[in-house]
Amino acid sequence: DDADPNEHEIYVAFDSIVKLMGSASYRVFEGLTFEHGYAGLKWQSPDSQHNVVRNCLFVNSNMGIGGGSHSLIEHCAFYNIGPSKFEHGIYDGQEGTTIRYCHFERISGGALHLYKKPKDITVCYNTIGPPKREHVVDPAFAGMHVGIYAWGRGGHRVRHNVIYGGHSVGISLFAPNSVVEHNTIVGTTRWGLLLLRGMAGNRVTKFSNGCYKLMQ
């Protein structure tokens, strides 16, 4: 209309595009595009379980997927995610989730960050391309880009993933009783694998990059 644009009021709800609350379980998200939200898909409760996310695109947001428990994430693409090291393609994971056949590129934090609570997560057959470098605010650890943070309560299986494009660290392992094997890591600027202190029972085999560091 002809009204003065300066007199208009616009309200924006900056939150997740889809948020699963309470015990919202057994949902299937297939063939969708999640764009311009804080998180594309957020599991708000650990009681939300046994969901499937397949053939979806997560693009131009702060976070791709957060949370989840006993769920399947496969054949998805994550592109241009986050302004800082605290935003990731997939964050947390809770317990028993499988993440496979996904592609990650231009992620400012970790392509996958299994943090604090995760246990028994399977991460396999994923490809992780170059991270986002420009416009990343990261004063505490400037220039640190990690492909996979395998942290949490442990028991993870990280297999047959390809990480390339100049990450600082390919895989950061800070969880007990996990298996890291048959991963290909190319072009890291610091270490292919970073093993953090105090973690027992891990097995690392058939690692394509000989550059690793053990933090005592």
Side-chain angles (χ1 to χ4, degrees):
D1 54 26
D2 295 327
D4 183 354
N6 294 323
E7 296 179 359
H8 291 185
E9 293 183 0
I10 299 175
Y11 298 92
V12 178
F14 189 63
D15 205 335
S16 302
I17 296 173
V18 175
K19 181 179 291 186
L20 300 183
M21 306 290 289
S23 59
S25 301
Y26 297 96
R27 268 61 169 180
V28 177
F29 300 88
E30 185 165 4
L32 303 174
T33 297
F34 297 83
E35 185 173 11
H36 297 311
Y38 177 77
L41 178 59
K42 173 68 176 178
W43 279 277
Q44 191 67 22
S45 167
D47 294 327
S48 180
Q49 302 180 5
H50 304 290
N51 296 286
V52 175
V53 186
R54 179 184 295 126
N55 295 326
C56 291
L57 172 63
F58 295 82
V59 61
N60 300 331
S61 60
N62 272 30
M63 198 90 70
I65 296 177
S69 181
H70 299 287
S71 295
L72 172 63
I73 302 169
E74 64 177 1
H75 296 289
C76 294
F78 299 79
Y79 182 78
N80 203 37
I81 302 294
S84 77
K85 70 172 185 177
F86 300 105
E87 283 79 39
H88 316 285
I90 297 177
Y91 177 74
D92 204 355
Q94 297 290 347
E95 183 172 344
T97 292
T98 296
I99 303 165
R100 64 189 185 189
Y101 303 111
C102 294
H103 179 70
F104 303 82
E105 192 165 333
R106 285 184 52 78
I107 312 298
S108 61
L112 295 94
H113 195 338
L114 313 180
Y115 181 62
K116 284 189 176 180
K117 297 180 181 180
K119 181 181 179 182
D120 299 328
I121 307 295
T122 298
V123 177
C124 61
Y125 299 103
N126 300 285
T127 55
I128 301 173
K132 183 195 289 188
R133 294 182 176 86
E134 70 276 15
H135 310 302
V136 175
V137 180
D138 194 354
F141 215 171
M144 177 61 73
H145 301 280
V146 178
I148 299 174
Y149 288 94
W151 293 12
R153 291 181 291 159
H156 306 314
R157 293 160 297 278
V158 182
R159 296 173 168 142
H160 299 285
N161 300 284
V162 177
I163 302 173
Y164 65 96
H167 296 80
S168 304
V169 178
I171 299 174
S172 174
L173 180 58
F174 188 32
N177 304 315
S178 298
V179 176
V180 178
E181 61 183 3
H182 295 281
N183 296 285
T184 299
I185 301 174
V186 179
T188 52
T189 60
R190 299 188 184 183
W191 314 293
L193 175 65
L194 176 61
L195 303 174
L196 293 166
R197 63 186 179 276
M199 297 294 105
N202 288 309
R203 186 172 82 243
V204 179
T205 62
K206 300 186 185 302
F207 198 71
S208 69
N209 188 319
C211 183
Y212 68 92
K213 184 176 181 64
L214 173 63
M215 300 291 287
Q216 298 293 339

